Amino acid sequence: GSSDPYCIVKIDDEAIIRTATVWKTLSPFWGEEYEVHLQPSFHTISIYVMDEDALSHDDVIGKVCITRDMLAEHPKGYSGWMSLSEVDPDEEVQGEIHLRVQVLGTQGSRWRLLCTVLEAR
């Protein structure tokens, strides 16, 4: 068993980023960094780890959610491993993702966020 993982970053359920697919691995490394502009009313940033499947729809491996309150609790940003949680309650999820998230300040009324998707296992 191996997967063809990639990540989708969603802000309040709107997909805004898709990482590259890393083929045939259970320990992908992305190292991708994105600057995101958030509306001040946003609630959650969700990072979905997906398994690309050429023959059918892609499978969700798991996800992590970062809330507005979590960002407020870490004014210098958050960096570390986060355990994946299930999307489908009938599926068991194992694995974690290494993220770095930092609020860079505001631009007008929007938050500037630096999101780095590093790796997973």
Side-chain angles (χ1 to χ4, degrees), residues 30-96:
W30 291 282
E32 297 183 21
E33 185 175 274
Y34 304 92
E35 187 173 322
V36 180
H37 296 267
L38 304 172
Q39 296 293 345
S41 59
F42 87 96
H43 296 288
T44 16
I45 302 164
S46 303
I47 295 115
Y48 290 79
V49 180
M50 307 291 293
D51 181 13
E52 190 163 319
D53 191 336
L55 302 177
S56 67
H57 68 281
D58 295 353
D59 297 316
V60 180
I61 296 172
K63 73 172 184 173
V64 295
C65 289
I66 300 167
T67 65
R68 179 190 181 101
D69 292 340
M70 289 168 72
L71 288 175
E73 288 170 18
H74 295 85
K76 293 186 177 173
Y78 173 84
S79 179
W81 289 93
M82 296 181 76
S83 293
L84 296 176
S85 60
E86 74 279 344
V87 173
D88 180 346
D90 296 330
E91 296 285 329
E92 182 183 341
V93 173
Q94 294 179 339
E96 50 190 357

Side-chain angles (χ1 to χ4, degrees), residues 5-7 19-23 25-33 81 97-98 100 116-121:
Y6 66 93
C7 294
T19 68
T21 300
V22 181
W23 303 102
T25 184
L26 294 177
S27 299
F29 176 82
W30 291 282
E32 297 183 21
E33 185 175 274
W81 289 93
I97 187 165
H98 189 191
R100 200 167 39 230
T116 307
V117 180
L118 293 165
E119 59 188 320
R121 57 186 179 204

